[in-house]
């Protein structure tokens, strides 16, 4: 039976070859593991993808031409660096030994062993790195976000993108008590009556995970429409986007959003976008205005403890003043 590191490596190799994560194949592979091993595996491959920009920067300090290595060897090294730098619970000797065993060719086994051992003795100084490296984002993306006219402080957004997503649920008090008795740990949300899952306990209860911003909007009287757009707000859930998202994605997504919104058969509605790019928000609303829609002001707190950045075409929300980065506008057909 394949172990956690082997499965994580196969997922990373598949991503590099195909450009996406095969969710069904991943689910099947994970089903063979224990609960704890599944958590470790998911943390390995998602964490390595999340920290990939920074990890590759670290590897360049020890390898002359890392891009010349076979993809599988590079991914073994990435997994090793992720464990050495970001998983304190994994002993250094285990991270090195298990990484070496993932490599079949002796010469590459020796290389992986030498590089990872050197890393443990000569750590790269990560202080003073530019924001894009410190927060492991593509440089173009950080430059883009920094220049957005409605971005007050980029650091909380970059931190949010790098943090594993919290699972949010609405649970009635009786079930909440039962779950806590089974070892589940929840924390209350700052923005609604939803709860955040901190630690999973025994068993697999049927809980319906929610998007808290969507949940809050559904509590309003008006109709709500949710669109993903380029999914810029979902980098923490889909860290492979750090590698696949391109500058032109925002313009392409805007055109798709425009077509979809024009087909909505509702006179007025809240529009929740899981993105905050200029193209998919400001430019989109301007084009909608040319096609018979107008923006209507609304209470940006949404009746909750939310704080948004108000513009004359909608409101941007960013952590820590909202559950996640997003854009909301209220549109009415003229």
């Amino acid at each position: 039976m394949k172990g956690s590191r082997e499965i994580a490596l196969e997922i990373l190799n598949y991503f590099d070859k195909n450009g996406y994560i095969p969710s069904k194949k991943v689910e099947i592979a994970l089903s063979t593991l224990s609960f704890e091993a599944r958590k470790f595996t998911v943390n390995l491959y998602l964490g390595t993808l999340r920290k990939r920009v920074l990890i590759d920067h670290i590897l360049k300090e020890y390898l002359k031409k890392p891009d010349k290595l076979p993809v599988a060897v590079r991914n073994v090294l990435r997994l090793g660096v992720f464990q050495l730098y970001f998983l304190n619970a994994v002993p250094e000797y285990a991270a090195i030994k298990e990484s070496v065993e993932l490599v079949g060719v002796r010469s590459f086994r020796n290389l992986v062993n030498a590089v990872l051992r050197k890393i443990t003795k000569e750590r790269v100084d990560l202080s003073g790195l530019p924001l894009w490296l410190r927060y492991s984002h593509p440089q173009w993306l950080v430059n883009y976000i920094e220049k957005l006219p409605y971005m007050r402080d980029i650091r909380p957004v970059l931190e949010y993108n790098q943090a594993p997503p919290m699972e949010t649920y609405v649970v009635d008090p009786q079930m909440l008590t039962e779950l806590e008795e089974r070892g589940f740990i929840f924390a209350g949300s700052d923005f609604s009556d939803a709860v955040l899952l901190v630690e999973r306990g025994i068993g697999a209860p049927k809980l319906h995970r929610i998007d808290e911003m969507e949940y809050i909007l559904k509590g309003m009287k008006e109709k709500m429409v949710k669109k993903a757009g380029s999914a810029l707000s979902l980098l923490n859930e889909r860290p492979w986007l750090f590698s696949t998202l391109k500058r032109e994605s925002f313009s392409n997504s805007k055109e798709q959003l425009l077509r979809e919104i024009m087909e909505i058969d509702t006179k007025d509605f809240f529009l929740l976008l899981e993105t905050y790019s200029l193209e998919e928000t400001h430019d989109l609303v301007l084009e909608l205005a040319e096609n018979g829609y107008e923006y209507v002001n609304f209470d940006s707190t949404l009746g909750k403890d939310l704080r948004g950045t108000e513009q004359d075409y909608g409101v941007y929300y960013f952590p820590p003043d909202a559950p996640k980065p997003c854009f909301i506008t209220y549109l009415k057909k003229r």
Side-chain angles (χ1 to χ4, degrees):
M1 187 174 69
K2 295 177 181 178
S4 292
R5 291 176 176 85
E6 188 176 358
I7 292 173
L9 177 61
E10 289 183 353
I11 294 170
L12 294 177
N13 290 342
Y14 188 99
F15 170 74
D16 278 322
K17 181 179 179 180
N18 300 282
Y20 69 97
I21 301 294
S23 56
K24 288 187 177 180
K25 291 184 178 180
V26 170
E27 187 177 339
I28 292 171
L30 294 178
S31 68
T32 65
L33 302 175
S34 67
F35 174 69
E36 290 300 324
R38 284 199 301 273
K39 285 202 304 184
F40 181 62
T41 307
V42 171
N43 192 18
L44 272 181
Y45 80 82
L46 289 182
T48 301
L49 286 170
R50 198 171 279 121
K51 298 292 185 183
R52 183 165 171 154
V53 172
L54 178 55
I55 288 172
D56 285 354
H57 169 75
I58 292 170
L59 285 173
K60 285 179 181 177
E61 297 294 318
Y62 302 94
L63 294 165
K64 291 182 179 179
K65 296 180 179 179
D67 293 343
K68 298 295 183 181
L69 292 173
V71 170
V73 176
R74 265 185 285 157
N75 281 328
V76 168
L77 286 166
R78 285 167 175 153
L79 284 168
V81 172
F82 176 70
Q83 293 170 79
L84 291 173
Y85 270 84
F86 305 108
L87 291 186
N88 295 330
V90 178
E92 290 183 349
Y93 73 86
I96 296 171
K97 177 178 178 293
E98 296 293 339
S99 295
V100 171
E101 290 183 356
L102 291 173
V103 185
V105 180
R106 176 177 293 182
S107 60
F108 289 130
R109 288 167 69 99
N110 293 338
L111 174 69
V112 169
N113 183 58
V115 169
L116 295 182
R117 286 186 180 280
K118 191 172 184 180
I119 286 175
T120 62
K121 296 176 181 177
E122 303 173 13
R123 294 278 179 135
V124 173
D125 183 9
L126 302 182
S127 63
L129 291 176
L131 280 178
W132 67 276
L133 277 175
R134 195 184 320 162
Y135 290 100
S136 197
H137 282 58
Q139 186 174 8
W140 74 265
L141 182 57
V142 171
N143 292 341
Y144 175 88
I145 296 174
E146 276 187 311
K147 293 176 182 177
L148 293 174
Y150 38 83
M151 181 59 62
R152 293 194 299 250
D153 184 1
I154 191 175
R155 284 175 175 80
V157 176
L158 301 183
E159 290 172 0
Y160 176 87
N161 292 343
Q162 281 292 302
M166 295 290 289
E167 296 181 22
T168 308
Y169 300 93
V170 176
V171 186
D172 68 67
Q174 182 177 348
M175 177 176 282
L176 190 62
T177 301
E178 293 174 359
L179 290 172
E180 288 174 342
E181 290 174 352
R182 291 162 56 181
F184 286 78
I185 300 175
F186 295 93
S189 169
D190 293 331
F191 308 107
S192 72
D193 60 355
V195 292
L196 310 176
L197 179 62
V198 177
E199 185 67 40
R200 192 173 292 277
I202 300 172
K206 291 183 178 180
L207 295 174
H208 178 60
R209 187 177 175 182
I210 65 165
D211 175 330
E212 192 169 7
M213 288 300 292
E214 181 180 5
Y215 173 68
I216 291 170
L217 273 182
K218 281 184 176 178
M220 310 291 283
K221 293 181 180 179
E222 294 80 359
K223 180 178 174 62
M224 187 275 298
V225 177
K226 178 183 177 182
K227 297 290 182 182
S230 65
L232 184 58
S233 297
L234 302 180
L235 284 167
N236 65 340
E237 290 188 33
R238 306 174 188 176
W240 52 87
L241 289 172
F242 285 114
S243 300
T244 60
L245 192 65
K246 305 298 180 186
R247 178 68 174 77
E248 57 269 21
S249 301
F250 304 141
S251 297
N252 295 338
S253 175
K254 182 200 71 173
E255 297 303 321
Q256 178 64 30
L257 286 170
L258 183 63
R259 290 192 292 270
E260 292 176 359
I261 294 168
M262 293 291 291
E263 294 176 357
I264 296 174
D265 187 24
T266 303
K267 185 177 180 181
D268 53 306
F269 54 90
F270 275 110
L271 177 65
L272 166 62
L273 296 176
E274 293 184 315
T275 183
Y276 49 91
S277 77
L278 193 67
E279 292 86 341
E280 297 166 285
T281 56
H282 171 270
D283 296 354
L284 173 67
V285 176
L286 286 184
E287 289 202 33
L288 286 169
E290 295 173 358
N291 286 275
Y293 290 84
E294 63 179 344
Y295 168 65
V296 180
N297 284 315
F298 63 93
D299 175 11
S300 62
T301 69
L302 300 175
K304 306 293 181 181
D305 292 327
L306 294 166
R307 282 202 308 144
T309 302
E310 298 183 18
Q311 304 290 306
D312 59 3
Y313 54 89
V315 182
Y316 295 91
Y317 295 91
F318 298 104
D321 300 320
K324 70 175 185 180
C326 63
F327 172 76
I328 296 177
T329 187
Y330 187 68
L331 299 174
K332 184 176 183 179
K333 287 184 180 179
R334 290 194 292 270

